[in-house]
Amino acid sequence: DLIAASFHANDPPSLSLRVNSLRADRDAVLESLINAGCRATVGTISGSIQLEHSPRLETLPGYHDGLWSVQDEAAMTASILLNPQPGETILDLCAAPGGKTTHLAELSGDNATIVACDVANGRLQRIRDNAARLQLTSIEPRTISKDGRNLPAGPFDAVLVDVPCSNTGVLNRRPEARWRFDQNGLEELVVLQTRLLIQACELVRAGGRVVYSTCSMEPEENRGVVDTAL
């Protein structure tokens, strides 16, 4: 599996679109993209479209109308697993740039309260911009400190913890991560990831849901963090 993943890291990345189910139908979006000259096919996740050799994305039909977003299919699964419901209060602990945040809003019919946190207000602006384009109103961006002392008060019905990581599972999208990866950096990340997951567990209500996700293949960042938190 590791050898296969190593080869995959050198492959050109695929491009996936997530159709905004509140504003559009996947088949209609797919037809409009094909009519615009795109090589587009139905994706493997509900509401997703695979795109090849497209022009500039912002020039494609439906982008400015908020009918779709660019998001990798693997990333879509995190929000689907959290299973956000209308009326719930949901925390996205590491939200920027907001792909998963806006997906949570769409999955809950834009009828949940989604508190989207990040340590940089500039990064939160990307969430505001994406929410405006997609015409979503249930997202509440909030700046938090790096030490996590000013986290929003819970309890939350569900918490998504999509942590900063080494990115070793997406090196074909982030090739610069190859040169940032070392043992010291990995150990620092694990400390941060563990703290974030424990804080998420402290903020979720009894019987609530927490989804922990990374885009790393390192066991220390995945099963190791979960075992430590448990």
Side-chain angles (χ1 to χ4, degrees):
D1 290 344
L2 288 175
I3 293 174
S6 297
F7 280 110
H8 174 69
N10 293 316
D11 292 337
S14 59
L15 181 63
S16 302
L17 306 182
R18 186 192 79 233
V19 174
N20 181 354
S21 59
L22 303 180
R23 298 186 47 75
D25 173 78
R26 179 171 65 176
D27 291 341
V29 172
L30 180 63
E31 183 179 2
S32 70
L33 292 170
I34 293 173
N35 291 338
C38 297
R39 292 172 58 184
T41 56
V42 171
T44 61
I45 298 244
S46 176
S48 72
I49 292 173
Q50 292 288 332
L51 199 60
E52 297 181 40
H53 307 298
S54 72
R56 290 172 59 101
L57 290 171
E58 61 268 26
T59 69
L60 296 180
Y63 176 81
H64 290 291
D65 295 325
L67 303 189
W68 50 265
S69 299
V70 178
Q71 189 178 33
D72 186 73
E73 286 189 335
M76 296 180 202
T77 61
S79 301
I80 293 170
L81 283 169
L82 194 65
N83 191 27
Q85 299 296 313
E88 290 188 326
T89 302
I90 299 164
L91 175 63
D92 189 347
L93 192 52
C94 309
K100 295 180 179 68
T101 314
T102 54
H103 195 193
L104 291 172
E106 292 168 14
L107 290 171
S108 58
D110 205 25
N111 286 314
T113 298
I114 300 171
V115 181
C117 298
D118 203 88
V119 297
N121 191 56
R123 287 168 56 81
L124 287 175
Q125 187 58 45
R126 295 183 63 183
I127 299 179
R128 297 184 184 97
D129 293 343
N130 281 325
R133 182 179 64 83
L134 297 167
Q135 299 186 35
L136 301 170
T137 60
S138 60
I139 298 170
E140 299 179 3
R142 187 172 303 185
T143 306
I144 59 174
S145 61
K146 290 185 178 181
D147 59 15
R149 286 185 297 177
N150 62 337
L151 289 176
F156 292 90
D157 296 294
V159 183
L160 175 62
V161 199
D162 183 50
V163 294
C165 69
S166 63
N167 297 312
T168 54
V170 290
L171 292 178
N172 58 343
R173 298 181 186 278
R174 300 176 183 175
E176 75 284 355
R178 302 170 193 265
W179 319 120
R180 294 200 306 260
F181 183 82
D182 59 39
Q183 189 61 35
N184 289 335
L186 178 61
E187 291 172 0
E188 291 175 2
L189 280 170
V190 168
V191 171
L192 173 61
Q193 292 159 349
T194 303
R195 173 172 66 80
L196 289 168
L197 180 53
I198 290 173
Q199 287 174 321
C201 293
E202 292 171 342
L203 290 168
V204 75
R205 67 169 173 81
R209 309 178 304 283
V210 174
V211 167
Y212 172 80
S213 69
T214 80
C215 52
S216 163
M217 297 188 300
E218 310 312 307
E220 297 95 328
E221 297 181 81
N222 293 291
R223 188 73 245 178
V225 168
V226 172
D227 287 342
T228 300
L230 292 176

PDB file of all heavy atoms in Angstrom, residues 60-100:
ATOM      1  N   LEU A  60     -16.223  28.877 -15.847  1.00  0.00           N
ATOM      2  CA  LEU A  60     -17.163  27.807 -16.162  1.00  0.00           C
ATOM      3  C   LEU A  60     -18.568  28.154 -15.684  1.00  0.00           C
ATOM      4  O   LEU A  60     -18.741  28.864 -14.691  1.00  0.00           O
ATOM      5  CB  LEU A  60     -16.705  26.501 -15.506  1.00  0.00           C
ATOM      6  CG  LEU A  60     -15.376  25.938 -16.007  1.00  0.00           C
ATOM      7  CD1 LEU A  60     -15.051  24.636 -15.273  1.00  0.00           C
ATOM      8  CD2 LEU A  60     -15.416  25.698 -17.509  1.00  0.00           C
ATOM      9  N   PRO A  61     -19.575  27.629 -16.387  1.00  0.00           N
ATOM     10  CA  PRO A  61     -20.961  27.925 -15.993  1.00  0.00           C
ATOM     11  C   PRO A  61     -21.266  27.409 -14.594  1.00  0.00           C
ATOM     12  O   PRO A  61     -20.896  26.294 -14.237  1.00  0.00           O
ATOM     13  CB  PRO A  61     -21.791  27.187 -17.055  1.00  0.00           C
ATOM     14  CG  PRO A  61     -20.876  26.167 -17.645  1.00  0.00           C
ATOM     15  CD  PRO A  61     -19.514  26.755 -17.585  1.00  0.00           C
ATOM     16  N   GLY A  62     -21.922  28.268 -13.805  1.00  0.00           N
ATOM     17  CA  GLY A  62     -22.345  27.884 -12.467  1.00  0.00           C
ATOM     18  C   GLY A  62     -21.420  28.326 -11.361  1.00  0.00           C
ATOM     19  O   GLY A  62     -21.835  28.322 -10.193  1.00  0.00           O
ATOM     20  N   TYR A  63     -20.184  28.713 -11.679  1.00  0.00           N
ATOM     21  CA  TYR A  63     -19.257  29.082 -10.607  1.00  0.00           C
ATOM     22  C   TYR A  63     -19.731  30.330  -9.875  1.00  0.00           C
ATOM     23  O   TYR A  63     -19.881  30.322  -8.647  1.00  0.00           O
ATOM     24  CB  TYR A  63     -17.846  29.297 -11.159  1.00  0.00           C
ATOM     25  CG  TYR A  63     -16.878  29.776 -10.098  1.00  0.00           C
ATOM     26  CD1 TYR A  63     -16.297  28.875  -9.219  1.00  0.00           C
ATOM     27  CD2 TYR A  63     -16.565  31.127  -9.957  1.00  0.00           C
ATOM     28  CE1 TYR A  63     -15.424  29.305  -8.223  1.00  0.00           C
ATOM     29  CE2 TYR A  63     -15.701  31.567  -8.968  1.00  0.00           C
ATOM     30  CZ  TYR A  63     -15.128  30.652  -8.110  1.00  0.00           C
ATOM     31  OH  TYR A  63     -14.276  31.092  -7.125  1.00  0.00           O
ATOM     32  N   HIS A  64     -19.953  31.419 -10.605  1.00  0.00           N
ATOM     33  CA  HIS A  64     -20.337  32.673  -9.959  1.00  0.00           C
ATOM     34  C   HIS A  64     -21.745  32.614  -9.373  1.00  0.00           C
ATOM     35  O   HIS A  64     -22.074  33.403  -8.480  1.00  0.00           O
ATOM     36  CB  HIS A  64     -20.211  33.838 -10.949  1.00  0.00           C
ATOM     37  CG  HIS A  64     -18.782  34.165 -11.299  1.00  0.00           C
ATOM     38  ND1 HIS A  64     -17.902  34.718 -10.394  1.00  0.00           N
ATOM     39  CD2 HIS A  64     -18.078  33.976 -12.448  1.00  0.00           C
ATOM     40  CE1 HIS A  64     -16.719  34.876 -10.964  1.00  0.00           C
ATOM     41  NE2 HIS A  64     -16.792  34.438 -12.200  1.00  0.00           N
ATOM     42  N   ASP A  65     -22.542  31.682  -9.863  1.00  0.00           N
ATOM     43  CA  ASP A  65     -23.893  31.512  -9.315  1.00  0.00           C
ATOM     44  C   ASP A  65     -23.898  30.614  -8.079  1.00  0.00           C
ATOM     45  O   ASP A  65     -24.962  30.366  -7.506  1.00  0.00           O
ATOM     46  CB  ASP A  65     -24.820  30.913 -10.378  1.00  0.00           C
ATOM     47  CG  ASP A  65     -25.031  31.859 -11.552  1.00  0.00           C
ATOM     48  OD1 ASP A  65     -25.067  33.083 -11.320  1.00  0.00           O
ATOM     49  OD2 ASP A  65     -25.145  31.369 -12.697  1.00  0.00           O
ATOM     50  N   GLY A  66     -22.741  30.111  -7.692  1.00  0.00           N
ATOM     51  CA  GLY A  66     -22.662  29.279  -6.493  1.00  0.00           C
ATOM     52  C   GLY A  66     -23.243  27.894  -6.650  1.00  0.00           C
ATOM     53  O   GLY A  66     -23.697  27.301  -5.668  1.00  0.00           O
ATOM     54  N   LEU A  67     -23.208  27.362  -7.873  1.00  0.00           N
ATOM     55  CA  LEU A  67     -23.793  26.044  -8.097  1.00  0.00           C
ATOM     56  C   LEU A  67     -22.850  24.911  -7.727  1.00  0.00           C
ATOM     57  O   LEU A  67     -23.297  23.769  -7.569  1.00  0.00           O
ATOM     58  CB  LEU A  67     -24.214  25.900  -9.572  1.00  0.00           C
ATOM     59  CG  LEU A  67     -25.187  26.946 -10.107  1.00  0.00           C
ATOM     60  CD1 LEU A  67     -25.675  26.540 -11.493  1.00  0.00           C
ATOM     61  CD2 LEU A  67     -26.359  27.159  -9.158  1.00  0.00           C
ATOM     62  N   TRP A  68     -21.551  25.207  -7.585  1.00  0.00           N
ATOM     63  CA  TRP A  68     -20.592  24.155  -7.250  1.00  0.00           C
ATOM     64  C   TRP A  68     -19.332  24.749  -6.643  1.00  0.00           C
ATOM     65  O   TRP A  68     -19.062  25.943  -6.751  1.00  0.00           O
ATOM     66  CB  TRP A  68     -20.247  23.295  -8.472  1.00  0.00           C
ATOM     67  CG  TRP A  68     -19.852  24.063  -9.715  1.00  0.00           C
ATOM     68  CD1 TRP A  68     -20.674  24.416 -10.747  1.00  0.00           C
ATOM     69  CD2 TRP A  68     -18.553  24.571 -10.044  1.00  0.00           C
ATOM     70  NE1 TRP A  68     -19.971  25.109 -11.699  1.00  0.00           N
ATOM     71  CE2 TRP A  68     -18.661  25.223 -11.297  1.00  0.00           C
ATOM     72  CE3 TRP A  68     -17.313  24.553  -9.420  1.00  0.00           C
ATOM     73  CZ2 TRP A  68     -17.586  25.834 -11.921  1.00  0.00           C
ATOM     74  CZ3 TRP A  68     -16.222  25.167 -10.041  1.00  0.00           C
ATOM     75  CH2 TRP A  68     -16.371  25.785 -11.272  1.00  0.00           C
ATOM     76  N   SER A  69     -18.573  23.872  -5.976  1.00  0.00           N
ATOM     77  CA  SER A  69     -17.279  24.217  -5.405  1.00  0.00           C
ATOM     78  C   SER A  69     -16.259  23.193  -5.859  1.00  0.00           C
ATOM     79  O   SER A  69     -16.608  22.064  -6.216  1.00  0.00           O
ATOM     80  CB  SER A  69     -17.329  24.215  -3.874  1.00  0.00           C
ATOM     81  OG  SER A  69     -18.251  25.147  -3.381  1.00  0.00           O
ATOM     82  N   VAL A  70     -15.000  23.562  -5.822  1.00  0.00           N
ATOM     83  CA  VAL A  70     -13.915  22.612  -6.065  1.00  0.00           C
ATOM     84  C   VAL A  70     -13.570  21.927  -4.747  1.00  0.00           C
ATOM     85  O   VAL A  70     -13.282  22.594  -3.753  1.00  0.00           O
ATOM     86  CB  VAL A  70     -12.673  23.325  -6.623  1.00  0.00           C
ATOM     87  CG1 VAL A  70     -11.531  22.325  -6.828  1.00  0.00           C
ATOM     88  CG2 VAL A  70     -12.993  24.042  -7.924  1.00  0.00           C
ATOM     89  N   GLN A  71     -13.640  20.609  -4.725  1.00  0.00           N
ATOM     90  CA  GLN A  71     -13.277  19.858  -3.517  1.00  0.00           C
ATOM     91  C   GLN A  71     -12.955  18.425  -3.887  1.00  0.00           C
ATOM     92  O   GLN A  71     -13.676  17.790  -4.664  1.00  0.00           O
ATOM     93  CB  GLN A  71     -14.396  19.883  -2.471  1.00  0.00           C
ATOM     94  CG  GLN A  71     -13.971  19.291  -1.132  1.00  0.00           C
ATOM     95  CD  GLN A  71     -15.066  19.361  -0.085  1.00  0.00           C
ATOM     96  OE1 GLN A  71     -16.245  19.262  -0.383  1.00  0.00           O
ATOM     97  NE2 GLN A  71     -14.662  19.530   1.162  1.00  0.00           N
ATOM     98  N   ASP A  72     -11.859  17.920  -3.338  1.00  0.00           N
ATOM     99  CA  ASP A  72     -11.469  16.539  -3.559  1.00  0.00           C
ATOM    100  C   ASP A  72     -12.506  15.593  -2.955  1.00  0.00           C
ATOM    101  O   ASP A  72     -13.059  15.879  -1.881  1.00  0.00           O
ATOM    102  CB  ASP A  72     -10.095  16.297  -2.928  1.00  0.00           C
ATOM    103  CG  ASP A  72      -9.568  14.912  -3.240  1.00  0.00           C
ATOM    104  OD1 ASP A  72      -9.160  14.688  -4.391  1.00  0.00           O
ATOM    105  OD2 ASP A  72      -9.588  14.064  -2.332  1.00  0.00           O
ATOM    106  N   GLU A  73     -12.754  14.487  -3.616  1.00  0.00           N
ATOM    107  CA  GLU A  73     -13.773  13.553  -3.126  1.00  0.00           C
ATOM    108  C   GLU A  73     -13.430  13.007  -1.744  1.00  0.00           C
ATOM    109  O   GLU A  73     -14.309  12.798  -0.913  1.00  0.00           O
ATOM    110  CB  GLU A  73     -13.975  12.409  -4.123  1.00  0.00           C
ATOM    111  CG  GLU A  73     -14.734  12.834  -5.373  1.00  0.00           C
ATOM    112  CD  GLU A  73     -15.112  11.649  -6.239  1.00  0.00           C
ATOM    113  OE1 GLU A  73     -14.416  10.616  -6.155  1.00  0.00           O
ATOM    114  OE2 GLU A  73     -16.094  11.750  -6.991  1.00  0.00           O
ATOM    115  N   ALA A  74     -12.137  12.766  -1.487  1.00  0.00           N
ATOM    116  CA  ALA A  74     -11.751  12.272  -0.163  1.00  0.00           C
ATOM    117  C   ALA A  74     -12.105  13.293   0.915  1.00  0.00           C
ATOM    118  O   ALA A  74     -12.534  12.933   2.012  1.00  0.00           O
ATOM    119  CB  ALA A  74     -10.258  11.967  -0.139  1.00  0.00           C
ATOM    120  N   ALA A  75     -11.938  14.576   0.599  1.00  0.00           N
ATOM    121  CA  ALA A  75     -12.271  15.620   1.565  1.00  0.00           C
ATOM    122  C   ALA A  75     -13.772  15.681   1.817  1.00  0.00           C
ATOM    123  O   ALA A  75     -14.213  16.019   2.920  1.00  0.00           O
ATOM    124  CB  ALA A  75     -11.755  16.973   1.070  1.00  0.00           C
ATOM    125  N   MET A  76     -14.571  15.362   0.801  1.00  0.00           N
ATOM    126  CA  MET A  76     -16.021  15.384   0.969  1.00  0.00           C
ATOM    127  C   MET A  76     -16.486  14.374   2.013  1.00  0.00           C
ATOM    128  O   MET A  76     -17.487  14.592   2.706  1.00  0.00           O
ATOM    129  CB  MET A  76     -16.717  15.074  -0.355  1.00  0.00           C
ATOM    130  CG  MET A  76     -16.485  16.080  -1.459  1.00  0.00           C
ATOM    131  SD  MET A  76     -17.361  15.594  -2.980  1.00  0.00           S
ATOM    132  CE  MET A  76     -16.430  16.487  -4.218  1.00  0.00           C
ATOM    133  N   THR A  77     -15.753  13.274   2.148  1.00  0.00           N
ATOM    134  CA  THR A  77     -16.221  12.207   3.037  1.00  0.00           C
ATOM    135  C   THR A  77     -16.220  12.633   4.504  1.00  0.00           C
ATOM    136  O   THR A  77     -17.019  12.115   5.288  1.00  0.00           O
ATOM    137  CB  THR A  77     -15.356  10.939   2.876  1.00  0.00           C
ATOM    138  OG1 THR A  77     -14.000  11.246   3.217  1.00  0.00           O
ATOM    139  CG2 THR A  77     -15.410  10.430   1.452  1.00  0.00           C
ATOM    140  N   ALA A  78     -15.333  13.569   4.886  1.00  0.00           N
ATOM    141  CA  ALA A  78     -15.278  13.983   6.292  1.00  0.00           C
ATOM    142  C   ALA A  78     -16.596  14.616   6.725  1.00  0.00           C
ATOM    143  O   ALA A  78     -17.143  14.283   7.785  1.00  0.00           O
ATOM    144  CB  ALA A  78     -14.125  14.951   6.508  1.00  0.00           C
ATOM    145  N   SER A  79     -17.121  15.527   5.906  1.00  0.00           N
ATOM    146  CA  SER A  79     -18.388  16.180   6.241  1.00  0.00           C
ATOM    147  C   SER A  79     -19.549  15.198   6.179  1.00  0.00           C
ATOM    148  O   SER A  79     -20.481  15.265   6.996  1.00  0.00           O
ATOM    149  CB  SER A  79     -18.637  17.350   5.285  1.00  0.00           C
ATOM    150  OG  SER A  79     -17.586  18.286   5.358  1.00  0.00           O
ATOM    151  N   ILE A  80     -19.498  14.281   5.218  1.00  0.00           N
ATOM    152  CA  ILE A  80     -20.556  13.271   5.109  1.00  0.00           C
ATOM    153  C   ILE A  80     -20.576  12.387   6.348  1.00  0.00           C
ATOM    154  O   ILE A  80     -21.639  12.058   6.895  1.00  0.00           O
ATOM    155  CB  ILE A  80     -20.362  12.446   3.825  1.00  0.00           C
ATOM    156  CG1 ILE A  80     -20.588  13.331   2.585  1.00  0.00           C
ATOM    157  CG2 ILE A  80     -21.285  11.239   3.801  1.00  0.00           C
ATOM    158  CD1 ILE A  80     -20.201  12.673   1.275  1.00  0.00           C
ATOM    159  N   LEU A  81     -19.377  12.013   6.841  1.00  0.00           N
ATOM    160  CA  LEU A  81     -19.294  11.181   8.041  1.00  0.00           C
ATOM    161  C   LEU A  81     -19.843  11.893   9.271  1.00  0.00           C
ATOM    162  O   LEU A  81     -20.462  11.269  10.142  1.00  0.00           O
ATOM    163  CB  LEU A  81     -17.846  10.764   8.290  1.00  0.00           C
ATOM    164  CG  LEU A  81     -17.287   9.650   7.412  1.00  0.00           C
ATOM    165  CD1 LEU A  81     -15.777   9.531   7.601  1.00  0.00           C
ATOM    166  CD2 LEU A  81     -17.969   8.327   7.724  1.00  0.00           C
ATOM    167  N   LEU A  82     -19.631  13.201   9.360  1.00  0.00           N
ATOM    168  CA  LEU A  82     -20.136  13.945  10.511  1.00  0.00           C
ATOM    169  C   LEU A  82     -21.661  13.979  10.520  1.00  0.00           C
ATOM    170  O   LEU A  82     -22.290  14.095  11.575  1.00  0.00           O
ATOM    171  CB  LEU A  82     -19.578  15.369  10.524  1.00  0.00           C
ATOM    172  CG  LEU A  82     -19.766  16.122  11.835  1.00  0.00           C
ATOM    173  CD1 LEU A  82     -18.965  15.468  12.960  1.00  0.00           C
ATOM    174  CD2 LEU A  82     -19.373  17.591  11.695  1.00  0.00           C
ATOM    175  N   ASN A  83     -22.265  13.893   9.325  1.00  0.00           N
ATOM    176  CA  ASN A  83     -23.722  13.786   9.193  1.00  0.00           C
ATOM    177  C   ASN A  83     -24.458  14.953   9.869  1.00  0.00           C
ATOM    178  O   ASN A  83     -25.292  14.753  10.753  1.00  0.00           O
ATOM    179  CB  ASN A  83     -24.208  12.451   9.776  1.00  0.00           C
ATOM    180  CG  ASN A  83     -25.655  12.155   9.428  1.00  0.00           C
ATOM    181  OD1 ASN A  83     -26.163  12.612   8.407  1.00  0.00           O
ATOM    182  ND2 ASN A  83     -26.324  11.404  10.281  1.00  0.00           N
ATOM    183  N   PRO A  84     -24.159  16.192   9.465  1.00  0.00           N
ATOM    184  CA  PRO A  84     -24.800  17.346  10.098  1.00  0.00           C
ATOM    185  C   PRO A  84     -26.296  17.385   9.799  1.00  0.00           C
ATOM    186  O   PRO A  84     -26.726  17.070   8.689  1.00  0.00           O
ATOM    187  CB  PRO A  84     -24.072  18.530   9.460  1.00  0.00           C
ATOM    188  CG  PRO A  84     -23.646  18.024   8.118  1.00  0.00           C
ATOM    189  CD  PRO A  84     -23.283  16.583   8.340  1.00  0.00           C
ATOM    190  N   GLN A  85     -27.076  17.801  10.793  1.00  0.00           N
ATOM    191  CA  GLN A  85     -28.522  17.806  10.669  1.00  0.00           C
ATOM    192  C   GLN A  85     -29.073  19.221  10.871  1.00  0.00           C
ATOM    193  O   GLN A  85     -28.494  20.021  11.610  1.00  0.00           O
ATOM    194  CB  GLN A  85     -29.148  16.868  11.697  1.00  0.00           C
ATOM    195  CG  GLN A  85     -28.733  15.413  11.540  1.00  0.00           C
ATOM    196  CD  GLN A  85     -29.198  14.817  10.234  1.00  0.00           C
ATOM    197  OE1 GLN A  85     -30.355  14.971   9.838  1.00  0.00           O
ATOM    198  NE2 GLN A  85     -28.285  14.148   9.535  1.00  0.00           N
ATOM    199  N   PRO A  86     -30.204  19.542  10.242  1.00  0.00           N
ATOM    200  CA  PRO A  86     -30.844  20.836  10.485  1.00  0.00           C
ATOM    201  C   PRO A  86     -31.131  21.037  11.965  1.00  0.00           C
ATOM    202  O   PRO A  86     -31.517  20.095  12.667  1.00  0.00           O
ATOM    203  CB  PRO A  86     -32.145  20.738   9.672  1.00  0.00           C
ATOM    204  CG  PRO A  86     -31.880  19.709   8.629  1.00  0.00           C
ATOM    205  CD  PRO A  86     -30.944  18.725   9.257  1.00  0.00           C
ATOM    206  N   GLY A  87     -30.902  22.251  12.447  1.00  0.00           N
ATOM    207  CA  GLY A  87     -31.173  22.575  13.830  1.00  0.00           C
ATOM    208  C   GLY A  87     -30.025  22.303  14.784  1.00  0.00           C
ATOM    209  O   GLY A  87     -30.068  22.727  15.942  1.00  0.00           O
ATOM    210  N   GLU A  88     -28.981  21.603  14.327  1.00  0.00           N
ATOM    211  CA  GLU A  88     -27.854  21.307  15.199  1.00  0.00           C
ATOM    212  C   GLU A  88     -26.886  22.490  15.293  1.00  0.00           C
ATOM    213  O   GLU A  88     -26.851  23.359  14.423  1.00  0.00           O
ATOM    214  CB  GLU A  88     -27.099  20.078  14.700  1.00  0.00           C
ATOM    215  CG  GLU A  88     -27.860  18.784  14.878  1.00  0.00           C
ATOM    216  CD  GLU A  88     -27.022  17.560  14.557  1.00  0.00           C
ATOM    217  OE1 GLU A  88     -26.162  17.644  13.651  1.00  0.00           O
ATOM    218  OE2 GLU A  88     -27.233  16.515  15.204  1.00  0.00           O
ATOM    219  N   THR A  89     -26.103  22.492  16.357  1.00  0.00           N
ATOM    220  CA  THR A  89     -24.999  23.437  16.511  1.00  0.00           C
ATOM    221  C   THR A  89     -23.708  22.668  16.289  1.00  0.00           C
ATOM    222  O   THR A  89     -23.432  21.697  17.004  1.00  0.00           O
ATOM    223  CB  THR A  89     -25.010  24.073  17.906  1.00  0.00           C
ATOM    224  OG1 THR A  89     -26.265  24.730  18.116  1.00  0.00           O
ATOM    225  CG2 THR A  89     -23.897  25.107  18.027  1.00  0.00           C
ATOM    226  N   ILE A  90     -22.941  23.086  15.288  1.00  0.00           N
ATOM    227  CA  ILE A  90     -21.801  22.306  14.818  1.00  0.00           C
ATOM    228  C   ILE A  90     -20.544  23.171  14.871  1.00  0.00           C
ATOM    229  O   ILE A  90     -20.565  24.354  14.514  1.00  0.00           O
ATOM    230  CB  ILE A  90     -22.044  21.817  13.369  1.00  0.00           C
ATOM    231  CG1 ILE A  90     -23.283  20.914  13.335  1.00  0.00           C
ATOM    232  CG2 ILE A  90     -20.819  21.100  12.811  1.00  0.00           C
ATOM    233  CD1 ILE A  90     -23.848  20.693  11.955  1.00  0.00           C
ATOM    234  N   LEU A  91     -19.444  22.573  15.315  1.00  0.00           N
ATOM    235  CA  LEU A  91     -18.166  23.272  15.381  1.00  0.00           C
ATOM    236  C   LEU A  91     -17.221  22.694  14.337  1.00  0.00           C
ATOM    237  O   LEU A  91     -16.984  21.486  14.299  1.00  0.00           O
ATOM    238  CB  LEU A  91     -17.550  23.119  16.779  1.00  0.00           C
ATOM    239  CG  LEU A  91     -16.148  23.706  16.976  1.00  0.00           C
ATOM    240  CD1 LEU A  91     -16.153  25.215  16.780  1.00  0.00           C
ATOM    241  CD2 LEU A  91     -15.600  23.339  18.353  1.00  0.00           C
ATOM    242  N   ASP A  92     -16.692  23.572  13.485  1.00  0.00           N
ATOM    243  CA  ASP A  92     -15.600  23.207  12.577  1.00  0.00           C
ATOM    244  C   ASP A  92     -14.353  23.845  13.168  1.00  0.00           C
ATOM    245  O   ASP A  92     -14.140  25.046  13.065  1.00  0.00           O
ATOM    246  CB  ASP A  92     -15.890  23.728  11.169  1.00  0.00           C
ATOM    247  CG  ASP A  92     -14.898  23.198  10.141  1.00  0.00           C
ATOM    248  OD1 ASP A  92     -13.864  22.631  10.545  1.00  0.00           O
ATOM    249  OD2 ASP A  92     -15.140  23.367   8.928  1.00  0.00           O
ATOM    250  N   LEU A  93     -13.519  23.025  13.815  1.00  0.00           N
ATOM    251  CA  LEU A  93     -12.471  23.551  14.681  1.00  0.00           C
ATOM    252  C   LEU A  93     -11.294  24.144  13.908  1.00  0.00           C
ATOM    253  O   LEU A  93     -10.640  25.065  14.387  1.00  0.00           O
ATOM    254  CB  LEU A  93     -11.983  22.438  15.615  1.00  0.00           C
ATOM    255  CG  LEU A  93     -11.096  22.826  16.781  1.00  0.00           C
ATOM    256  CD1 LEU A  93     -11.716  23.945  17.615  1.00  0.00           C
ATOM    257  CD2 LEU A  93     -10.828  21.607  17.658  1.00  0.00           C
ATOM    258  N   CYS A  94     -11.005  23.617  12.725  1.00  0.00           N
ATOM    259  CA  CYS A  94      -9.890  24.118  11.894  1.00  0.00           C
ATOM    260  C   CYS A  94     -10.462  24.351  10.500  1.00  0.00           C
ATOM    261  O   CYS A  94     -10.210  23.576   9.573  1.00  0.00           O
ATOM    262  CB  CYS A  94      -8.751  23.121  11.860  1.00  0.00           C
ATOM    263  SG  CYS A  94      -8.200  22.537  13.477  1.00  0.00           S
ATOM    264  N   ALA A  95     -11.214  25.414  10.322  1.00  0.00           N
ATOM    265  CA  ALA A  95     -12.142  25.506   9.207  1.00  0.00           C
ATOM    266  C   ALA A  95     -11.547  25.984   7.886  1.00  0.00           C
ATOM    267  O   ALA A  95     -11.953  25.518   6.821  1.00  0.00           O
ATOM    268  CB  ALA A  95     -13.303  26.425   9.596  1.00  0.00           C
ATOM    269  N   ALA A  96     -10.636  26.968   7.919  1.00  0.00           N
ATOM    270  CA  ALA A  96     -10.176  27.587   6.672  1.00  0.00           C
ATOM    271  C   ALA A  96      -9.452  26.552   5.789  1.00  0.00           C
ATOM    272  O   ALA A  96      -8.793  25.654   6.310  1.00  0.00           O
ATOM    273  CB  ALA A  96      -9.263  28.758   6.987  1.00  0.00           C
ATOM    274  N   PRO A  97      -9.610  26.658   4.472  1.00  0.00           N
ATOM    275  CA  PRO A  97     -10.271  27.719   3.710  1.00  0.00           C
ATOM    276  C   PRO A  97     -11.781  27.550   3.537  1.00  0.00           C
ATOM    277  O   PRO A  97     -12.408  28.350   2.869  1.00  0.00           O
ATOM    278  CB  PRO A  97      -9.565  27.650   2.357  1.00  0.00           C
ATOM    279  CG  PRO A  97      -9.219  26.208   2.204  1.00  0.00           C
ATOM    280  CD  PRO A  97      -8.869  25.724   3.578  1.00  0.00           C
ATOM    281  N   GLY A  98     -12.363  26.490   4.114  1.00  0.00           N
ATOM    282  CA  GLY A  98     -13.815  26.430   4.177  1.00  0.00           C
ATOM    283  C   GLY A  98     -14.507  25.435   3.280  1.00  0.00           C
ATOM    284  O   GLY A  98     -15.742  25.415   3.233  1.00  0.00           O
ATOM    285  N   GLY A  99     -13.764  24.578   2.590  1.00  0.00           N
ATOM    286  CA  GLY A  99     -14.429  23.590   1.745  1.00  0.00           C
ATOM    287  C   GLY A  99     -15.335  22.666   2.531  1.00  0.00           C
ATOM    288  O   GLY A  99     -16.489  22.423   2.159  1.00  0.00           O
ATOM    289  N   LYS A 100     -14.833  22.169   3.643  1.00  0.00           N
ATOM    290  CA  LYS A 100     -15.649  21.278   4.472  1.00  0.00           C
ATOM    291  C   LYS A 100     -16.735  22.065   5.210  1.00  0.00           C
ATOM    292  O   LYS A 100     -17.838  21.563   5.433  1.00  0.00           O
ATOM    293  CB  LYS A 100     -14.764  20.515   5.449  1.00  0.00           C
ATOM    294  CG  LYS A 100     -13.775  19.560   4.778  1.00  0.00           C
ATOM    295  CD  LYS A 100     -12.922  18.843   5.808  1.00  0.00           C
ATOM    296  CE  LYS A 100     -11.945  17.865   5.138  1.00  0.00           C
ATOM    297  NZ  LYS A 100     -10.900  18.576   4.359  1.00  0.00           N
TER     298      LYS A 100
END
